[in-house]
Amino acid sequence: MIHRSIHWRTWSWLGALALVLATGCGEPHAPKVGDNQLVNGSFESKLSGWWAVTDSEGGTAQVLSTSADVGALGLALFKGTGGWGSMVGQETPPHTAKQTYHLRARLRGAKGGERVSISFHGQGFEVETGSQWQTVERLVFLPEASDNTTALLSVTTDNATVHVDDVSFAPAEVERGEADKASGNLVSNGSFESGLGMWNFWSGSDGQADTSAEARGSGYAGLVLRMGTGGGGSSVKQMLPEPVRSGEVYRLEVRVRGALGGEAVGMCLQVNEEPWDGPCLPVPVTTEWGHVTGEVTIEEPFQDQPMGVMVSLFSEGSVQVDDVIVVRVQP
């Protein structure tokens, strides 16, 4: 039986569902961060090594003593009106496929609430600044090798100034979980060792998604998924690297445990457009780690249809998720 990935439908069990208890083994090893790949990341040599671009009216990038947090100088990045943002960037050395990078910066908004985007080779994150200096850092996963990589930092709020200092983009060695080692797995960073790299988060209310060493089923880290009090569900989703076709069979696997047990969790293959359709695997949840696996079939008349894998929480509370695996079984 195939279950559709529409959030408001009731989950039912697959007859062929297998449930196996599993636990994380050994002590986790924190990521080992390498050398900063950026030149002049603290702006002590002003904008040497950096280029600046703005498509907003009046946008500027200035190096000022009043923008310093570390050392004598820091960057004041101002976005005027219109356009997408004001940014600084620089080219960095090549990286290999499936490489993790640690992105870090010190930020302070002139007023607080300014939006800042930090990205590397198309992967990154957005944060909201406060009026005091704060360190923002994330792990990002780079699925493909490249010898043409660009580090970018942008302010996207109209008429806003953000002060920037001590920027670092550095390669990181991370412990690999079971999903990262699984043969034929179509999911990148399925064990969440590289934070939420490659994953997109959505919530219908004030839900949250982050990673933690305490949430690991294997490797170093796992996902903590929370649904807020407003309902609507919380989900993480990643597009698969290859399109799907009608008749194909996929094996889905995931590890999960709940804070209370009995949380409503589902794992789906889902198209990225309305109607949000595709086959789903219900996931029974207890307070112990469970390993859930089952096969689903693409029954829709899809031909080369882009599709993603999605893990969703539909009840209040939180669950821990790890080792998301999607393998094409047939043909």
Side-chain angles (χ1 to χ4, degrees), residues 154-243:
S154 314
V155 56
T156 59
T157 303
D158 278 358
N159 297 312
T161 297
V162 172
H163 305 284
V164 183
D165 208 349
D166 197 23
V167 183
S168 173
F169 284 46
E173 295 180 13
V174 297
E175 184 176 357
R176 295 300 178 189
E178 294 302 318
D180 301 318
K181 306 171 186 176
S183 177
N185 190 8
L186 299 175
V187 179
S188 296
N189 189 30
S191 289
F192 303 99
E193 310 305 334
S194 299
L196 287 175
M198 301 297 294
W199 293 94
N200 293 314
F201 171 67
W202 176 89
S203 175
S205 56
D206 56 349
Q208 296 179 330
D210 51 38
T211 59
S212 166
E214 288 71 30
R216 70 188 184 100
S218 70
Y220 167 72
L223 168 71
V224 181
L225 191 61
R226 302 177 180 87
M227 191 181 81
T229 56
S234 292
S235 304
V236 291
K237 185 175 182 178
Q238 178 180 149
M239 295 305 295
L240 300 181
E242 302 173 3

Coordinates of all heavy atoms in Angstrom, one line a residue, residues 154-243:
S154 N 26.5 38.5 2.6 CA 25.6 39.5 2.1 C 24.7 40.0 3.2 O 24.2 39.2 4.0 CB 24.8 39.0 0.9 OG 25.6 38.3 0.0
V155 N 24.3 41.3 3.1 CA 23.2 41.8 3.9 C 22.0 42.1 3.0 O 22.2 42.6 1.9 CB 23.6 43.1 4.7 CG1 24.1 44.2 3.7 CG2 22.4 43.7 5.5
T156 N 20.8 41.6 3.4 CA 19.7 41.6 2.5 C 18.5 42.4 3.0 O 17.5 42.5 2.3 CB 19.2 40.2 2.2 OG1 18.8 39.6 3.5 CG2 20.3 39.3 1.6
T157 N 18.7 43.1 4.1 CA 17.6 44.0 4.6 C 17.8 45.4 4.1 O 18.9 45.9 4.2 CB 17.7 44.0 6.2 OG1 17.5 42.6 6.7 CG2 16.6 44.8 6.8
D158 N 16.7 46.0 3.7 CA 16.8 47.4 3.1 C 17.2 48.3 4.2 O 16.8 48.2 5.4 CB 15.4 47.8 2.6 CG 15.2 47.3 1.2 OD1 16.1 46.6 0.6 OD2 14.0 47.5 0.7
N159 N 18.0 49.3 3.8 CA 18.5 50.4 4.6 C 19.0 49.9 6.0 O 18.7 50.4 7.1 CB 17.3 51.4 4.9 CG 16.8 52.1 3.7 OD1 17.6 52.6 2.9 ND2 15.5 52.0 3.5
A160 N 19.9 48.9 5.8 CA 20.5 48.2 7.0 C 22.0 48.2 6.9 O 22.6 47.9 5.9 CB 19.9 46.8 7.2
T161 N 22.6 48.3 8.1 CA 24.1 48.2 8.2 C 24.4 47.0 9.1 O 23.8 46.9 10.2 CB 24.7 49.5 8.8 OG1 24.5 50.5 7.8 CG2 26.2 49.3 9.0
V162 N 25.3 46.2 8.7 CA 25.8 45.1 9.5 C 27.3 45.2 9.6 O 28.0 45.4 8.6 CB 25.4 43.7 8.9 CG1 26.1 42.6 9.7 CG2 23.9 43.5 8.9
H163 N 27.8 45.1 10.8 CA 29.3 45.1 11.1 C 29.8 43.6 11.1 O 29.2 42.8 11.7 CB 29.6 45.8 12.4 CG 29.0 47.2 12.4 ND1 29.6 48.2 11.8 CD2 27.9 47.7 13.1 CE1 28.9 49.3 12.0 NE2 27.8 49.0 12.8
V164 N 30.9 43.4 10.4 CA 31.4 42.0 10.2 C 32.9 42.0 10.6 O 33.6 42.9 10.2 CB 31.2 41.6 8.7 CG1 31.7 40.2 8.5 CG2 29.8 41.8 8.3
D165 N 33.3 40.9 11.2 CA 34.7 40.7 11.6 C 35.0 39.3 11.7 O 34.1 38.4 11.9 CB 35.1 41.5 12.9 CG 36.5 41.9 12.9 OD1 37.3 41.5 12.0 OD2 36.9 42.7 13.8
D166 N 36.3 38.9 11.7 CA 36.8 37.6 12.0 C 36.0 36.5 11.2 O 35.4 35.6 11.8 CB 36.7 37.3 13.5 CG 37.6 36.1 13.9 OD1 38.5 35.8 13.2 OD2 37.2 35.5 15.0
V167 N 36.0 36.6 9.9 CA 35.3 35.6 9.0 C 36.3 34.5 8.6 O 37.4 34.7 8.3 CB 34.9 36.3 7.7 CG1 34.0 35.4 6.9 CG2 34.0 37.6 8.0
S168 N 35.7 33.3 8.7 CA 36.5 32.1 8.4 C 35.7 31.1 7.7 O 34.6 30.8 8.0 CB 37.1 31.4 9.7 OG 37.7 30.2 9.5
F169 N 36.3 30.5 6.6 CA 35.7 29.4 5.8 C 36.8 28.4 5.8 O 37.9 28.5 5.2 CB 35.4 29.8 4.4 CG 34.2 30.6 4.2 CD1 33.9 31.7 5.0 CD2 33.2 30.3 3.2 CE1 32.7 32.5 4.9 CE2 32.1 31.1 3.0 CZ 31.8 32.1 3.9
A170 N 36.6 27.3 6.6 CA 37.7 26.3 6.7 C 37.2 24.9 6.5 O 36.1 24.5 6.9 CB 38.3 26.4 8.2
P171 N 38.0 24.0 5.9 CA 37.6 22.6 5.7 C 37.5 21.9 7.1 O 38.3 22.3 8.0 CB 38.7 22.0 4.9 CG 39.9 22.9 5.1 CD 39.3 24.3 5.3
A172 N 36.6 21.0 7.2 CA 36.4 20.3 8.5 C 36.3 18.8 8.2 O 35.7 18.4 7.3 CB 35.1 20.8 9.1
E173 N 36.9 18.1 9.1 CA 36.8 16.6 9.1 C 35.7 16.2 10.1 O 35.8 16.6 11.2 CB 38.2 16.0 9.5 CG 39.3 16.2 8.5 CD 40.6 15.6 9.0 OE1 40.5 14.7 9.9 OE2 41.6 15.9 8.4
V174 N 34.7 15.5 9.6 CA 33.6 15.1 10.4 C 33.5 13.5 10.4 O 33.9 12.9 9.5 CB 32.3 15.7 9.9 CG1 32.3 17.2 10.0 CG2 32.0 15.2 8.5
E175 N 33.1 13.0 11.6 CA 32.8 11.6 11.7 C 31.7 11.2 10.8 O 30.7 12.0 10.7 CB 32.6 11.3 13.1 CG 32.4 9.8 13.4 CD 32.2 9.5 14.9 OE1 32.3 10.5 15.7 OE2 32.0 8.3 15.2
R176 N 31.8 10.1 10.1 CA 30.7 9.7 9.2 C 29.8 8.7 9.9 O 30.2 7.7 10.5 CB 31.3 9.0 8.0 CG 32.1 10.0 7.1 CD 31.2 11.2 6.6 NE 32.0 12.1 5.8 CZ 31.5 13.3 5.5 NH1 30.3 13.7 5.8 NH2 32.3 14.1 4.8
G177 N 28.4 8.9 9.7 CA 27.5 8.0 10.3 C 27.1 6.9 9.3 O 27.6 6.8 8.2
E178 N 26.2 6.1 9.7 CA 25.8 4.9 8.9 C 25.2 5.3 7.5 O 25.5 4.6 6.5 CB 24.8 4.0 9.6 CG 25.4 3.4 10.9 CD 26.7 2.5 10.6 OE1 26.6 1.8 9.6 OE2 27.6 2.6 11.3
A179 N 24.5 6.4 7.5 CA 23.9 6.8 6.2 C 24.9 7.2 5.2 O 24.8 7.1 4.0 CB 22.8 7.9 6.4
D180 N 26.0 7.8 5.7 CA 27.1 8.3 4.9 C 27.9 7.2 4.3 O 28.6 7.3 3.2 CB 28.0 9.2 5.6 CG 27.3 10.4 6.2 OD1 26.5 11.0 5.5 OD2 27.6 10.8 7.4
K181 N 27.8 6.0 4.9 CA 28.6 4.8 4.4 C 27.7 3.9 3.6 O 28.2 2.9 3.0 CB 29.1 4.1 5.6 CG 30.0 4.9 6.6 CD 30.3 4.1 7.8 CE 31.0 5.0 8.8 NZ 31.3 4.3 10.1
A182 N 26.4 4.1 3.6 CA 25.5 3.1 3.0 C 25.6 3.1 1.4 O 25.6 4.1 0.8 CB 24.0 3.5 3.3
S183 N 25.8 1.9 0.9 CA 26.0 1.8 -0.6 C 24.7 2.2 -1.3 O 23.6 1.7 -1.0 CB 26.3 0.3 -0.9 OG 26.4 0.1 -2.3
G184 N 24.9 3.0 -2.3 CA 23.8 3.4 -3.2 C 22.9 4.5 -2.6 O 21.8 4.8 -3.2
N185 N 23.2 5.0 -1.4 CA 22.3 6.0 -0.8 C 22.3 7.3 -1.6 O 23.4 7.9 -2.0 CB 22.8 6.4 0.6 CG 21.9 7.2 1.4 OD1 20.7 7.5 1.0 ND2 22.3 7.7 2.6
L186 N 21.1 7.8 -2.0 CA 20.9 9.0 -2.8 C 20.9 10.2 -2.0 O 20.9 11.3 -2.5 CB 19.6 8.9 -3.6 CG 19.6 7.7 -4.6 CD1 18.2 7.6 -5.2 CD2 20.6 7.8 -5.7
V187 N 20.9 10.1 -0.7 CA 20.9 11.2 0.2 C 22.3 11.7 0.6 O 23.1 10.9 1.0 CB 20.1 10.9 1.5 CG1 20.0 12.1 2.4 CG2 18.7 10.4 1.1
S188 N 22.5 13.0 0.5 CA 23.8 13.6 1.0 C 23.6 14.0 2.4 O 22.6 14.6 2.8 CB 24.2 14.7 0.1 OG 24.5 14.3 -1.2
N189 N 24.7 13.8 3.3 CA 24.6 14.2 4.7 C 23.4 13.6 5.3 O 22.7 14.3 6.1 CB 24.6 15.7 4.8 CG 24.8 16.2 6.2 OD1 25.4 15.6 7.0 ND2 24.2 17.4 6.5
G190 N 23.1 12.4 5.0 CA 21.9 11.7 5.6 C 22.1 11.4 7.1 O 21.1 11.1 7.8
S191 N 23.3 11.5 7.6 CA 23.5 11.3 9.1 C 23.7 12.6 9.8 O 24.0 12.6 11.0 CB 24.8 10.4 9.3 OG 24.5 9.1 8.9
F192 N 23.5 13.7 9.1 CA 23.5 15.1 9.8 C 24.9 15.4 10.4 O 24.9 16.2 11.4 CB 22.4 15.2 10.7 CG 21.0 15.0 10.1 CD1 20.4 13.7 10.2 CD2 20.4 16.0 9.3 CE1 19.2 13.5 9.6 CE2 19.2 15.7 8.7 CZ 18.6 14.5 8.9
E193 N 26.0 14.7 10.0 CA 27.3 15.1 10.5 C 27.7 16.5 10.1 O 28.5 17.1 10.8 CB 28.3 14.0 10.1 CG 27.9 12.6 10.3 CD 27.5 12.2 11.7 OE1 28.0 12.9 12.6 OE2 26.7 11.3 11.9
S194 N 27.2 16.9 9.0 CA 27.6 18.3 8.5 C 26.4 19.2 8.8 O 26.0 20.0 7.9 CB 27.9 18.2 7.0 OG 29.0 17.4 6.7
G195 N 25.9 19.2 10.0 CA 24.8 20.0 10.3 C 23.6 19.8 9.5 O 23.2 18.6 9.2
L196 N 22.9 20.8 9.1 CA 21.7 20.7 8.1 C 22.1 21.0 6.7 O 21.3 21.3 5.9 CB 20.6 21.7 8.6 CG 19.9 21.3 9.9 CD1 18.9 22.4 10.2 CD2 19.2 20.0 9.7
G197 N 23.5 20.8 6.4 CA 23.9 21.0 5.0 C 23.2 20.1 4.1 O 23.0 18.9 4.3
M198 N 22.7 20.6 3.0 CA 21.9 20.0 1.9 C 20.4 19.8 2.3 O 19.6 19.5 1.4 CB 22.4 18.6 1.6 CG 23.9 18.6 1.1 SD 24.1 19.5 -0.5 CE 23.1 18.5 -1.6
W199 N 20.0 20.1 3.5 CA 18.6 20.0 4.0 C 17.9 21.3 4.0 O 18.5 22.3 4.5 CB 18.5 19.3 5.3 CG 19.0 17.9 5.3 CD1 20.2 17.4 5.6 CD2 18.2 16.7 5.0 NE1 20.3 16.0 5.5 CE2 19.0 15.6 5.2 CE3 16.9 16.5 4.7 CZ2 18.6 14.3 5.0 CZ3 16.4 15.2 4.4 CH2 17.3 14.1 4.6
N200 N 16.6 21.4 3.7 CA 15.8 22.6 3.8 C 14.8 22.3 4.9 O 14.2 21.2 4.9 CB 15.1 22.9 2.5 CG 16.1 23.4 1.4 OD1 16.9 24.2 1.7 ND2 15.9 22.9 0.2
F201 N 14.5 23.3 5.8 CA 13.6 23.1 6.9 C 12.3 23.9 6.6 O 12.4 25.0 6.1 CB 14.2 23.6 8.2 CG 13.3 23.7 9.3 CD1 12.7 22.5 9.9 CD2 12.9 24.9 9.9 CE1 11.8 22.6 10.9 CE2 12.0 25.0 10.9 CZ 11.5 23.9 11.5
W202 N 11.2 23.3 7.0 CA 9.9 24.0 6.9 C 9.1 23.7 8.1 O 9.1 22.6 8.6 CB 9.1 23.6 5.6 CG 7.8 24.2 5.5 CD1 7.4 25.3 4.9 CD2 6.6 23.6 6.1 NE1 6.1 25.6 5.0 CE2 5.5 24.6 5.8 CE3 6.2 22.5 6.8 CZ2 4.2 24.3 6.1 CZ3 4.9 22.3 7.2 CH2 3.9 23.2 6.8
S203 N 8.4 24.7 8.6 CA 7.4 24.5 9.7 C 6.2 25.4 9.5 O 6.3 26.5 9.0 CB 8.1 25.0 11.0 OG 7.2 24.9 12.1
G204 N 5.1 24.8 9.8 CA 3.8 25.5 9.7 C 3.6 26.4 10.9 O 2.6 27.2 10.9
S205 N 4.4 26.4 11.9 CA 4.3 27.3 13.0 C 5.6 27.8 13.5 O 6.4 28.3 12.7 CB 3.5 26.6 14.1 OG 4.1 25.4 14.5
D206 N 5.9 27.6 14.8 CA 7.2 28.0 15.4 C 8.1 26.8 15.6 O 8.9 26.7 16.6 CB 7.0 28.8 16.6 CG 6.2 28.1 17.7 OD1 5.6 27.0 17.3 OD2 6.1 28.5 18.8
G207 N 8.0 25.8 14.8 CA 8.8 24.6 14.9 C 10.3 24.9 14.7 O 10.7 26.0 14.2
Q208 N 11.2 23.9 15.0 CA 12.6 24.1 14.9 C 13.3 22.9 14.4 O 12.8 21.7 14.6 CB 13.2 24.6 16.2 CG 12.8 25.9 16.7 CD 13.4 26.2 18.1 OE1 13.7 25.4 18.9 NE2 13.6 27.5 18.3
A209 N 14.4 23.0 13.8 CA 15.3 21.9 13.4 C 16.7 22.3 13.6 O 17.2 23.4 13.2 CB 15.1 21.5 11.9
D210 N 17.5 21.5 14.4 CA 18.9 21.7 14.6 C 19.6 20.3 14.8 O 18.9 19.3 14.8 CB 19.2 22.6 15.7 CG 18.5 22.2 17.0 OD1 18.4 21.0 17.3 OD2 18.0 23.1 17.7
T211 N 20.9 20.3 14.9 CA 21.6 19.1 15.1 C 22.3 19.1 16.4 O 22.7 20.2 16.9 CB 22.6 18.8 13.9 OG1 23.6 19.9 13.9 CG2 21.9 18.7 12.6
S212 N 22.6 17.9 16.9 CA 23.1 17.8 18.3 C 23.8 16.4 18.4 O 23.4 15.4 17.8 CB 22.0 17.9 19.3 OG 22.5 17.5 20.6
A213 N 24.9 16.4 19.1 CA 25.6 15.2 19.4 C 24.7 14.2 20.2 O 24.8 13.0 20.1 CB 26.9 15.4 20.2
E214 N 23.9 14.8 21.1 CA 23.0 14.0 21.9 C 21.9 13.3 21.1 O 21.3 12.3 21.5 CB 22.3 14.8 23.0 CG 23.2 15.3 24.1 CD 24.2 16.3 23.7 OE1 23.9 17.1 22.8 OE2 25.3 16.4 24.3
A215 N 21.7 13.7 19.8 CA 20.7 13.2 19.0 C 21.2 12.1 18.0 O 20.5 11.7 17.1 CB 20.0 14.3 18.2
R216 N 22.4 11.7 18.2 CA 23.0 10.8 17.2 C 22.5 9.3 17.4 O 22.4 8.8 18.5 CB 24.6 10.8 17.4 CG 25.1 10.1 18.7 CD 26.5 10.4 18.9 NE 27.0 9.6 20.1 CZ 27.6 8.5 20.0 NH1 27.8 7.9 18.9 NH2 28.0 7.9 21.2
G217 N 22.2 8.7 16.3 CA 22.0 7.3 16.3 C 23.3 6.6 15.9 O 23.6 5.4 16.3
S218 N 24.1 7.3 15.1 CA 25.5 6.8 14.7 C 26.3 8.0 14.4 O 25.8 9.1 14.3 CB 25.4 5.9 13.5 OG 25.1 6.6 12.3
G219 N 27.6 7.9 14.3 CA 28.5 9.0 14.0 C 28.5 10.0 15.1 O 28.5 9.7 16.3
Y220 N 28.6 11.3 14.7 CA 28.8 12.3 15.7 C 27.5 13.0 16.1 O 27.3 13.4 17.3 CB 29.8 13.4 15.2 CG 29.8 14.7 16.0 CD1 30.4 14.7 17.3 CD2 29.2 15.9 15.5 CE1 30.4 15.9 18.0 CE2 29.2 17.0 16.3 CZ 29.8 17.0 17.5 OH 29.8 18.2 18.3
A221 N 26.6 13.3 15.2 CA 25.4 14.1 15.4 C 24.2 13.5 14.8 O 24.2 12.6 14.0 CB 25.7 15.5 14.9
G222 N 23.1 14.0 15.2 CA 21.8 13.7 14.6 C 20.9 14.9 14.6 O 21.2 16.0 15.1
L223 N 19.7 14.8 14.0 CA 18.7 15.8 13.9 C 17.8 15.9 15.1 O 17.2 14.8 15.5 CB 17.9 15.7 12.6 CG 16.7 16.6 12.4 CD1 17.1 18.0 12.1 CD2 15.9 16.0 11.2
V224 N 17.5 17.1 15.6 CA 16.4 17.3 16.5 C 15.3 18.1 15.8 O 15.6 19.2 15.4 CB 16.9 18.0 17.8 CG1 15.7 18.2 18.8 CG2 18.0 17.3 18.5
L225 N 14.1 17.5 15.7 CA 13.0 18.1 14.9 C 11.9 18.4 15.9 O 11.5 17.5 16.7 CB 12.6 17.1 13.8 CG 11.6 17.7 12.8 CD1 12.2 18.8 12.0 CD2 11.1 16.6 11.8
R226 N 11.5 19.6 16.0 CA 10.4 20.0 16.9 C 9.3 20.7 16.2 O 9.5 21.4 15.2 CB 11.0 21.1 17.9 CG 12.2 20.6 18.7 CD 12.7 21.7 19.6 NE 13.8 21.3 20.4 CZ 15.1 21.3 20.0 NH1 15.4 21.8 18.8 NH2 16.0 20.9 20.8
M227 N 8.1 20.4 16.6 CA 6.9 21.1 16.1 C 6.4 22.1 17.2 O 6.3 21.7 18.4 CB 5.8 20.1 15.8 CG 4.6 20.8 15.0 SD 3.3 19.7 14.5 CE 2.4 19.7 16.1
G228 N 6.2 23.3 16.8 CA 5.7 24.3 17.7 C 4.3 24.1 18.2 O 3.6 23.2 17.7
T229 N 3.9 25.0 19.0 CA 2.5 24.9 19.6 C 1.5 25.3 18.6 O 0.3 25.0 18.9 CB 2.4 25.9 20.8 OG1 2.8 27.2 20.5 CG2 3.4 25.4 21.9
G230 N 1.8 26.0 17.5 CA 0.8 26.4 16.5 C 0.4 25.3 15.6 O -0.4 25.5 14.7
G231 N 1.0 24.1 15.7 CA 0.7 23.0 14.8 C 1.2 23.2 13.4 O 2.2 24.0 13.2
G232 N 0.7 22.5 12.4 CA 1.1 22.6 11.0 C 2.3 21.7 10.6 O 2.6 21.6 9.4
G233 N 2.9 21.1 11.6 CA 4.0 20.1 11.2 C 5.3 20.8 11.0 O 5.4 22.0 10.8
S234 N 6.4 20.0 11.1 CA 7.8 20.5 10.9 C 8.4 19.4 10.0 O 8.3 18.2 10.3 CB 8.5 20.7 12.2 OG 8.0 21.8 12.9
S235 N 9.2 19.9 9.0 CA 9.8 18.9 8.1 C 11.2 19.4 7.7 O 11.5 20.6 7.6 CB 8.9 18.8 6.8 OG 7.6 18.4 7.1
V236 N 12.0 18.4 7.3 CA 13.3 18.6 6.6 C 13.2 17.9 5.3 O 12.7 16.8 5.2 CB 14.5 18.2 7.4 CG1 14.7 19.1 8.6 CG2 14.5 16.8 7.8
K237 N 13.7 18.5 4.2 CA 13.6 17.9 2.9 C 14.9 18.2 2.1 O 15.5 19.2 2.3 CB 12.4 18.6 2.2 CG 12.1 17.9 0.8 CD 10.9 18.6 0.2 CE 10.5 17.9 -1.1 NZ 9.3 18.5 -1.7
Q238 N 15.2 17.2 1.3 CA 16.4 17.3 0.4 C 16.0 16.7 -0.9 O 15.4 15.6 -1.0 CB 17.5 16.5 1.0 CG 18.8 16.5 0.1 CD 19.9 15.7 0.7 OE1 20.7 15.1 0.0 NE2 20.0 15.6 2.0
M239 N 16.3 17.4 -2.0 CA 16.0 17.0 -3.3 C 17.0 15.8 -3.7 O 18.2 15.9 -3.4 CB 16.1 18.1 -4.4 CG 15.1 19.2 -4.2 SD 13.4 18.6 -4.2 CE 13.2 17.9 -5.9
L240 N 16.5 14.8 -4.3 CA 17.4 13.7 -4.8 C 18.1 14.1 -6.0 O 17.7 14.9 -6.8 CB 16.5 12.5 -5.0 CG 15.7 11.9 -3.9 CD1 14.9 10.7 -4.3 CD2 16.6 11.6 -2.7
P241 N 19.3 13.5 -6.2 CA 20.2 14.0 -7.3 C 19.7 13.5 -8.7 O 20.1 14.0 -9.7 CB 21.5 13.4 -7.0 CG 21.2 12.2 -6.1 CD 20.0 12.6 -5.3
E242 N 18.8 12.5 -8.7 CA 18.3 12.0 -9.9 C 16.7 12.0 -9.9 O 16.1 11.8 -8.9 CB 18.8 10.5 -10.1 CG 20.3 10.4 -10.1 CD 20.7 9.0 -10.2 OE1 19.9 8.1 -10.3 OE2 22.0 8.7 -10.1
P243 N 16.1 12.2 -11.1 CA 14.6 12.2 -11.2 C 14.1 10.8 -11.0 O 14.9 9.8 -11.2 CB 14.4 12.8 -12.6 CG 15.6 12.5 -13.3 CD 16.7 12.6 -12.4

